[in-house]
Amino acid sequence: MLLTILGCSGSLPGPQSPASGYLVEADGYRIGLELGNGVLASLQAHCDPFSLDALLFSHLHPDHCADFTTLAVMRRYHTHPPHDTTKRRLPVHGPSEAPRRFARAYAESADELRTADLTDVFDFRSLTPEPFRVGPFHITAARVDHPCEAYGFRIATENAVLAFTGDSGPCDALHGLADGADVLLSEATWTHADNRPPGTHLSGVQAGELATAAGAARLILTHVAPWTAPEAVLAEAQSRFTGPTELARQGEKYTVDDPVIRLTSDDS
């Protein structure tokens, strides 16, 4: 399994990275995990967006899904797509409001919204506790602690497990998703403080504690907000987790099957 960081800036795009977005690959299959502001441009540097086999959305805040409407334009209006996108609709696994949320974002007026329907090129599938498969990937979604309908993911193949927190405060569901993961891709929006809003995000301390409690092999910190010092978040996580820990950076690639190996963009 190969993980590529397409974007990792928390809450909005930052000066060095788009917002949240990741590419997960194994055995010729590709999953897009989030599609935040600026991520579609980054995705095109790594693969043809038409080659995606599915999209996963943890929740529907703009920094995780804003580029969906531009992908809709590509799938509807590309002058020479590699296949008929109405016959090969892209599966989109996300919260129950996803079809309506994306229709509202896509429609330019109230009149258009009355008839906006993106199911011509997308196949929307609401997330449930029931695991599902995409090619070699066995995927489990679990509700996490965020101010909206939000999920974390456990993405497994025969040889590897990637756990992704999505956006969440500390909760039991995260421990189940991250249990024994080869790589824990954890949000760490801010540094630790007692007055942080509950049920919203993790600090570096909390991400490190999660990795330790879950027995994860490696911790990658993502979703650090542009106004947060990333090295401070990293230091917090390292104070709670003794395994390999680093900050996600746009363009980095990780072989999840062997979490001690990182491939830079120059190696791929």
Side-chain angles (χ1 to χ4, degrees):
M1 187 192 301
L2 182 67
L3 167 68
T4 302
I5 309 298
L6 302 175
C8 52
S9 182
S11 300
L12 71 164
Q16 304 299 325
S17 174
S20 295
Y22 314 92
L23 178 65
V24 185
E25 303 174 86
D27 298 341
Y29 284 80
R30 289 173 169 153
I31 292 175
L33 176 58
E34 318 282 54
L35 203 65
N37 319 70
V39 170
L40 184 59
S42 181
L43 175 65
Q44 292 174 83
H46 295 276
C47 72
D48 183 348
F50 286 103
S51 71
L52 291 176
D53 295 287
L55 278 174
L56 304 182
F57 288 102
S58 68
H59 66 293
L60 302 176
H61 284 155
D63 59 312
H64 293 257
C65 69
D67 270 13
F68 184 87
T69 55
T70 53
L71 181 63
V73 170
M74 175 179 280
R75 291 185 63 80
R76 278 182 158 181
Y77 300 114
H78 198 294
T79 57
H80 47 282
H83 55 258
D84 186 337
T85 56
T86 62
K87 293 181 179 178
R88 286 180 54 184
R89 296 185 301 157
L90 180 64
V92 178
H93 302 266
S96 57
E97 283 288 323
R100 291 177 289 276
R101 170 77 167 92
F102 293 141
R104 292 194 301 270
Y106 185 85
E108 66 176 23
S109 66
D111 286 342
E112 184 179 3
L113 181 58
R114 294 189 187 98
T115 58
D117 182 359
L118 302 178
T119 60
D120 57 335
V121 293
F122 295 108
D123 177 11
F124 292 102
R125 305 178 186 186
S126 295
L127 293 169
T128 71
E130 189 69 24
F132 59 96
R133 296 196 71 92
V134 175
F137 300 105
H138 186 269
I139 303 168
T140 302
R143 285 289 295 265
V144 294
D145 196 8
H146 201 55
C148 62
E149 183 185 352
Y151 298 84
F153 294 106
R154 183 180 178 91
I155 303 173
T157 64
E158 290 185 359
N159 303 313
V161 175
L162 169 68
F164 175 54
T165 63
D167 280 11
S168 178
C171 63
D172 291 342
L174 292 179
H175 290 266
L177 294 172
D179 184 35
D182 296 294
V183 170
L184 171 58
L185 180 62
S186 177
E187 75 118 292
T189 302
W190 48 42
T191 53
H192 198 71
D194 292 337
N195 62 350
R196 301 295 190 204
T200 307
H201 293 297
L202 298 176
S203 66
V205 166
Q206 292 163 331
E209 290 175 343
L210 172 62
T212 295
R218 183 176 195 153
L219 174 60
I220 302 174
L221 302 169
T222 190
H223 201 272
V224 179
W227 50 81
T228 298
E231 296 302 327
V233 170
L234 177 61
E236 285 189 351
Q238 290 173 328
S239 75
R240 296 298 196 275
F241 178 61
T242 59
T245 306
E246 63 185 282
L247 295 163
R249 299 191 189 280
Q250 182 190 4
E252 295 286 6
K253 298 175 182 285
Y254 301 87
T255 54
V256 179
D257 314 61
D258 188 348
V260 301
I261 297 177
R262 180 180 68 184
L263 302 175
T264 67
S265 56
D266 292 336
D267 298 323
S268 59

